Amino acid sequence: MTGESDLASLGALVGDRVRAALLLRLLDGGATTASELAAAAGASASLTSSHLRRLLEGGLVSVTTSGRHRLYRLAGVEVAEMLEAMQLVAPETPVTSLRGERSRRRLRRARLCYDHLAGVLGTAVTDGLVTRGAVVLADGAALGERAEEVLGEVGLDLAPLRARERRLLRECTDWTERRPHLAGAVGAAVATRMIDSAWVVRRPGSRGLDVTADGAAGLEEWLGLRLRDLDGWRETAPGLAG
Amino acid sequence: MTGESDLASLGALVGDRVRAALLLRLLDGGATTASELAAAAGASASLTSSHLRRLLEGGLVSVTTSGRHRLYRLAGVEVAEMLEAMQLVAPETPVTSLRGERSRRRLRRARLCYDHLAGVLGTAVTDGLVTRGAVVLADGAALGERAEEVLGEVGLDLAPLRARERRLLRECTDWTERRPHLAGAVGAAVATRMIDSAWVVRRPGSRGLDVTADGAAGLEEWLGLRLRDLDGWRETAPGLAG
DNA sequence: ACGACGCTTCAACGGCGGTTGAAGCGTCGC
DNA sequence: GCGACGCTTCAACCGCCGTTGAAGCGTCGT
């Protein structure tokens, strides 16, 4: 019993409706105010505050105070990875409303998984990188021969990434797609690049993403991706923002 | 809220002292009787039974009945991976007793992580495979040029593994060592081989492993591993069984 | 400086869930 | 077949934790 890791208290920490909603909301990797978190979790300010305090004490989130706002974020990559691993096991909550169904589909289409792309878009970009020889997913995950070249086309330089101690590539099994997508330093860099170039924009108050017209064009040129043709893409309304 | 995965109920399921102990006990990947699980969790038979029922309903464990015994095991790899991811985040329970300290050290030294090696032994074997060019951990995880040859030396054939749909290589960050070790189909095959050749033996009632004299000799010959010289190995008593 | 606002703290309530012990049920050994 | 055994089920108790509403505290606008 003793000397083991304390799974029980960690599980209990995640095992509350409100706290789980807070963690999922924070899974976009951003810093979020307490009030926005309250809204996202559908809970009162006081309740949210007490739950955030417990998440803080449990080391799952960190906080930086900025003026009269307190910005919460996930405590680190391990927390995000843990949440992803849990989502892979957790059953889906039944969809009750039309709103819920729409937001579920949007989330499935494109979202941030802490710092990299996930959803249909995430797996498609990964597939595209594989096709173009930038990434190899045969045995495990490795950089392909054309990695420098392909990533360079969108202005990504591998050198600074290699310098960091963080693992370059990591596979992350997508919760909705049940297929691997690209994570690690390279996955994060690709996501950052796409946000910076406004190929995708964050959907306010969610970890969901919208692909812009620029993004659709850019992805087709860069990786030969035709978003419209992807499984699970057209299920929803237009899908292009901006 | 709706359309998300139900993290909360999953967390709550893990978030109980007894259930967490049961899951950790099952993390050796084996099938275990209800009574042994009760003993491991330090709970009464009836209590254990009710908890196992909930784990069953939650899809975390599966059961096969054999005579008057019921054999429980983890429901799948995803569950094991989730538990590993959680252990990486969970704090360690404070060690209270001498017994606890000894078992903790033994666990740290060598154990099964569902189907592959973990602990000091797990990372050391992984390092050895990297050194010998069977595995590359530079960017992600991939087979090295000498994979066939090196694995062949202990009678492992990659062909049947490739045929399976399961990913060949996966990195699994070790909870105690905080470093990657080898998982995936290859990691599982290596562990199975070592158990079959009696290089290591399961410690009864635990996921801990003991290295035999044969194993120590074999590992030195195969990978040039000198167990005695490993960090964290000699902290404990002899360490050789059989 | 004043009030509005963002957020936290506190005390009190209510209910879910863990725990127990005894009874029930099927399986194995003699 | 009988009893021992492995395991599960049930009813009842009890404690903890999530929830609420109001009060407190620091920060920002004017």
Side-chain angles (χ1 to χ4, degrees):
Chain A
M1 251 39 27
T2 113
E4 293 274 356
S5 59
D6 192 0
L7 260 194
S9 59
L10 176 60
L13 200 55
V14 180
D16 172 86
R17 229 194 72 255
V18 174
R19 286 197 294 268
L22 295 174
L23 291 170
L24 286 180
R25 175 60 187 81
L26 288 172
L27 202 50
D28 69 350
T32 314
T33 63
S35 16
E36 189 175 343
L37 287 169
S44 72
S46 72
L47 184 55
T48 304
S49 177
S50 77
H51 283 306
L52 284 172
R53 194 165 72 92
R54 294 188 58 178
L55 290 175
L56 205 55
E57 286 166 356
L60 293 190
V61 307
S62 65
V63 69
T64 55
T65 151
S66 147
R68 59 175 159 181
H69 296 277
R70 299 194 74 187
L71 297 174
Y72 288 89
R73 70 195 77 203
L74 290 188
V77 201
E78 329 80 46
V79 178
E81 289 177 7
M82 177 195 80
L83 292 173
E84 277 288 317
M86 291 184 75
Q87 286 193 88
L88 214 51
V89 172
E92 281 198 22
T93 53
V95 173
T96 51
S97 65
L98 196 59
R99 290 178 61 91
E101 175 60 14
R102 279 183 57 197
S103 78
R104 194 192 69 82
R105 286 187 173 169
R106 286 174 153 181
L107 217 50
R108 199 201 142 186
R109 204 164 54 185
R111 64 178 184 277
L112 279 177
C113 171
Y114 191 59
D115 58 3
H116 57 270
L117 300 175
V120 174
L121 180 65
T123 55
V125 167
T126 303
D127 290 348
L129 289 171
V130 169
T131 306
R132 291 217 50 202
V135 172
V136 182
L137 283 187
D139 316 317
L143 287 180
E145 297 179 0
R146 305 184 53 198
E148 306 270 358
E149 172 192 348
V150 173
L151 294 173
E153 291 173 15
V154 289
L156 276 180
D157 188 5
L158 281 177
L161 299 182
R162 288 191 200 278
R164 302 183 142 222
E165 64 178 61
R166 182 166 174 206
R167 174 127 284 149
L168 276 184
L169 257 50
R170 194 177 65 83
E171 301 169 60
C172 177
T173 306
D174 198 292
W175 150 57
T176 49
E177 306 308 303
R178 306 252 148 203
R179 294 184 40 221
H181 62 233
L182 199 61
V186 172
V190 169
T192 307
R193 194 83 199 88
M194 289 182 63
I195 291 175
D196 288 348
S197 335
W199 282 15
V200 298
V201 293
R202 292 158 177 265
R203 187 193 311 278
S206 151
R207 64 200 145 112
L209 293 173
D210 281 320
V211 177
T212 62
D214 272 5
L219 284 170
E220 179 154 4
E221 191 190 337
W222 184 36
L223 300 175
L225 276 191
R226 302 181 60 114
L227 294 177
R228 289 143 242 225
D229 300 343
L230 297 176
D231 279 352
W233 190 267
R234 297 203 61 179
E235 286 176 14
T236 46
L240 296 184
Chain B
M1 246 48 18
T2 116
E4 294 276 357
S5 61
D6 192 359
L7 260 196
S9 58
L10 176 60
L13 200 54
V14 180
D16 172 87
R17 228 193 72 255
V18 174
R19 287 197 295 269
L22 295 173
L23 291 170
L24 285 180
R25 174 62 187 77
L26 289 172
L27 201 50
D28 69 350
T32 313
T33 63
S35 15
E36 188 176 342
L37 286 170
S44 73
S46 72
L47 184 54
T48 304
S49 178
S50 78
H51 282 306
L52 284 172
R53 194 165 71 91
R54 294 189 59 177
L55 290 175
L56 203 55
E57 286 167 355
L60 293 191
V61 307
S62 65
V63 70
T64 55
T65 149
S66 147
R68 60 175 159 180
H69 296 278
R70 300 193 74 188
L71 297 174
Y72 288 89
R73 71 195 77 204
L74 289 189
V77 201
E78 329 78 48
V79 179
E81 290 177 8
M82 177 195 80
L83 292 174
E84 277 287 318
M86 291 184 75
Q87 287 194 87
L88 215 50
V89 172
E92 281 199 23
T93 52
V95 173
T96 51
S97 65
L98 197 58
R99 289 178 62 89
E101 177 58 15
R102 279 183 57 195
S103 78
R104 193 191 69 83
R105 286 187 173 167
R106 286 173 154 182
L107 216 51
R108 198 200 142 185
R109 204 163 54 184
R111 65 178 185 277
L112 280 176
C113 171
Y114 192 58
D115 59 2
H116 57 271
L117 301 175
V120 174
L121 180 65
T123 55
V125 167
T126 304
D127 289 348
L129 289 171
V130 169
T131 306
R132 291 218 48 203
V135 171
V136 182
L137 284 187
D139 315 319
L143 287 179
E145 295 179 359
R146 306 185 54 198
E148 306 270 358
E149 173 191 348
V150 172
L151 293 173
E153 291 172 15
V154 289
L156 277 180
D157 188 4
L158 281 175
L161 299 182
R162 289 189 200 277
R164 302 183 143 221
E165 61 180 61
R166 181 166 175 208
R167 174 128 284 148
L168 236 40
L169 259 48
R170 194 176 65 82
E171 302 169 59
C172 177
T173 305
D174 197 292
W175 150 58
T176 48
E177 306 308 303
R178 306 251 148 203
R179 294 183 41 220
H181 61 234
L182 200 60
V186 172
V190 169
T192 306
R193 193 82 199 90
M194 289 182 62
I195 291 175
D196 288 348
S197 334
W199 283 15
V200 297
V201 293
R202 290 158 177 265
R203 186 193 312 278
S206 151
R207 63 201 145 111
L209 292 173
D210 280 319
V211 178
T212 63
D214 273 4
L219 284 170
E220 179 153 4
E221 190 191 337
W222 185 36
L223 300 176
L225 276 191
R226 303 180 61 114
L227 294 178
R228 288 143 242 223
D229 300 343
L230 296 177
D231 280 350
W233 190 266
R234 298 202 62 177
E235 287 177 14
T236 46
L240 296 184

